[in-house]
Amino acid sequence: MSIIVQKFGGTSVGSVEKIQNVASRILEEKNRGNDVVVVVSAMGKTTDALVEMAREITSRPSKREMDMLLSTGEQVTISLLTMALIQSGQEAISYTGWQAGIETESVHSNARIINIHTEKMTAQLESGKVVIVAGFQGMTPSGEITTLGRGGSDTTAVAIAAALKADRCDIYTDVDGVYSSDPRYIKGARKLPSISYDEMLELANLGAGVLHPRAVEFAKNYQIPLEVRSSLEKVEGTYIEEEASMEQNLVVRGVAFEDEIVRVTVFGLGNALTGLSSVFTTLARNHLNVDIIIQSQTDKDTTNLSFSIKEHDLEEALSVLEKNQDELGFTHIEHERDLAKVSIVGSGMISNPGVAAEMFEVLAQNDIIVKMVSTSEIKVSAVVDQVNMQKAAGVLHTAFKLDAVKVEEVTL
């Protein structure tokens, strides 16, 4: 008997009717003779509503209390879904993250899973029950409730699949697969039949919201077969695997974009060997992630350092740096808002030089100014003005021959 892990996102469980539809999809898998563990998100916009209520009280809520608040959303979903299964005649049981044995590091609002104690889930599966687990949450060794960051239910599902040695993990969402770009904004975007772990990891890190980056990382590390599927339509999804076939020998497989990027520049940083590491060590100590980094030497004694960061982390990053200004030894900080990051991704770049040059040429031809650049073996990212984000993504999607043959056939 195979173990199948299914994950249903917030839009898939956004109403009682949709929850009953999810229950029927679970029963189909169970009736094939498989053991089933299901991970669910909070219903619809529940998390957004909870965040908004917190903001009405304070602009800087305690991260611990935010975890206490936000973890309630999934608890509603697991109980309702379990009731629906029981009503259908299928034995089932719901678990919060901590009841399911998900142990995390002691970091609030963006914790990482460090262990999953599977005994309870395994016992329930052996008794014939479907196990429903709240995504996005866990507990520290000392008993504190934590959350895994937005989109963390994907990570919960793949981590459970790895811990249980599941045969497959299906990610059900409101789209029917992974697209070459976001079809809500890029009309020519088309569904990819398959994509490699590495390509999907880059796309997820670069703003493609269909999968959480940590989930892809877990899947790659533990070789968990993933399929992104529609929760509403019974159609083939996108397979995420070690090596995807190079469709039509395309060098670029996808275009991702992300708004609300801020460029922070630290001026007059002492040019000691430890200067750069001190800045990023200080930010990392406060769990602040930076992305694109540019260093520019001004003279033999000082250097300027620019990096990109998400808008929601800006206030805390500035506070942390200014608090440690004497220790870090810089003169002042400036920042530029209203930026966006546009990226091209494809494993074919490794053996095809000139891809970056073509990207920048296309942007220049469309009067789009590039403010920062980052590259790896399989991606090139450019920071542009936010007003040009969609335009940049669209022209790159077309230039690298990613548009669907017939745009009208793309389901938006």
Side-chain angles (χ1 to χ4, degrees), residues 18-91:
K18 289 183 176 180
I19 286 174
Q20 290 170 330
N21 174 64
V22 165
S24 69
R25 300 297 292 266
I26 296 167
L27 287 171
E28 288 174 9
E29 194 63 65
K30 182 65 176 172
N31 291 337
R32 294 188 185 102
N34 295 318
D35 286 333
V36 184
V37 177
V38 182
V39 174
V40 291
S41 301
M43 294 174 65
K45 299 293 185 180
T46 299
T47 302
D48 291 336
L50 292 172
V51 169
E52 186 57 37
M53 283 192 284
R55 285 177 177 165
E56 289 178 13
I57 294 173
T58 173
S59 61
R60 300 191 69 180
S62 158
K63 288 186 176 181
R64 180 189 184 278
E65 298 311 319
M66 284 300 291
D67 280 358
M68 291 290 285
L69 175 66
L70 299 183
S71 63
T72 64
E74 283 72 18
Q75 195 164 336
V76 174
T77 315
I78 60 173
S79 55
L80 291 174
L81 180 55
T82 303
M83 291 177 194
L85 285 168
I86 294 172
Q87 180 65 23
S88 300
Q90 170 61 52
E91 286 189 300

Side-chain angles (χ1 to χ4, degrees), residues 261 292 308 339-341 369-373 381-385:
I261 302 295
I292 300 174
S308 63
L339 301 176
K341 182 171 61 178
I369 297 172
V370 174
K371 301 196 172 188
M372 301 179 82
V373 175
S381 296
V383 172
V384 301
D385 288 319

Side-chain angles (χ1 to χ4, degrees), residues 359-379:
M359 175 182 181
F360 299 136
E361 183 178 349
V362 169
L363 294 176
Q365 288 171 351
N366 287 273
D367 300 318
I368 298 170
I369 297 172
V370 174
K371 301 196 172 188
M372 301 179 82
V373 175
S374 174
T375 65
S376 75
E377 285 186 325
I378 64 170
K379 66 97 174 172

